[in-house]
Structure formats: structure tokens, C-alpha cells
Amino acid sequence: MALAVALVLVLALGALLRLTNFGRVIRTVAFSETVARLVGAPVGRVRVATFFVSGALAGGAGVLWSLLFQSVSPFMGETVLLKGLTVLILGGLGNVAGALAGGLLLGLVEVGSVVAVGAGYRDAVGFGLVLLILLTRPTGLFSSREAKRA
């Protein structure tokens, strides 16, 4: 159930960013605040709304995490914080589908490393993969080239 709810949240976020005018404004502000102001986007309100959406998603993730492990504490997300950053780097910043694919790739690589070399090297293999990706494709595996135009 937690996996299904998480997948629905990811798909909803992707749809929000790609299919709505609000998502277009968020992407414009992320591209350049100056350009967003020039086209009349309310940059301040977009920032507040973006923080609200990210906080709601973080709250949903916290609820799902607490349902999985039947415990709640202010520090329960610290164990997955570094993995989340790793997934963002793998997938490419600002790419929701890339983050999802990066998470699946990291999970598969870590499970494969447990089978191949042992559980003690799981994190080392995962972060070694991130280092390799950063050296070869600094923008992430699934990032797209973006033409800068104004």
C-alpha cells in the first residue's frame, strides 16, 4: 500500500509540473527568476506555493515511513536523507521521472552488490556508482539538455 501511495504521489507531482500552468510557472521561476518576473509570474507566491507542495510531500513521506516501521520520531528521516540526495544526483536535478528511475537503479545496484560482494559493501558500491556518474555525466543520467533562451 505504501508503494502504491508513493507512486501516486510521484505521478501527481510529475503531472503537476508538466501538465498545469502552475507547473509551467514553477519551471519558469526555476529557470530564471528574472525571466519569470519579465513575463509577469508572481515569483514570491510561487516560492511559497512550492514550499507548501514540498512540505506536503515530505509530510506524506513521513506518514508512509511511520506506517512501514510503526514508529515516529523527529529524526526518523535521517537514515534515508543521504540516499535521497544520491537518487536526485543519479536521476538529474529537477527531473521527477529521472529521480524515480535513479531510485530504482540505486536499489538494484545495492541489492546486486549485497549478493556479489556482501552486505558490508552495499553503501560503498552505491556511492561509488554516484561518483562514477558524477565523473561521466555531472547533470545526472536522465537529465536533458536545456537550451537557454529568453
Side-chain angles (χ1 to χ4, degrees), residues 7-139:
L7 187 61
V8 166
L9 288 175
V10 167
L11 292 175
L13 177 64
L16 174 78
L17 292 175
R18 290 282 172 209
L19 303 177
T20 65
N21 285 332
F22 178 61
R24 184 178 310 158
V25 172
I26 288 175
R27 288 183 285 137
T28 304
V29 171
F31 176 74
S32 171
E33 287 187 15
T34 305
V35 171
R37 281 192 179 94
L38 287 174
V39 297
V43 174
R45 286 194 292 166
V46 169
R47 280 188 191 153
V48 169
T50 303
F51 274 104
F52 175 78
V53 169
S54 65
L57 288 172
V63 167
L64 291 175
W65 186 264
S66 66
L67 289 175
L68 283 174
F69 296 102
Q70 289 90 27
S71 68
V72 177
S73 79
F75 307 108
M76 65 186 189
E78 286 183 354
T79 57
V80 295
L81 185 63
L82 197 54
K83 295 285 183 183
L85 180 61
T86 304
V87 165
L88 286 176
I89 291 170
L90 278 176
L93 293 176
N95 188 350
V96 177
L100 185 61
L104 290 172
L105 176 67
L106 182 64
L108 290 173
V109 166
E110 285 187 348
V111 168
S113 70
V114 167
V115 171
V117 294
Y121 295 104
R122 181 189 70 200
D123 290 335
V125 170
F127 293 127
L129 173 69
V130 171
L131 181 62
L132 180 69
I133 297 302
L134 283 175
L135 289 174
T136 57
R137 288 205 55 170
T139 57

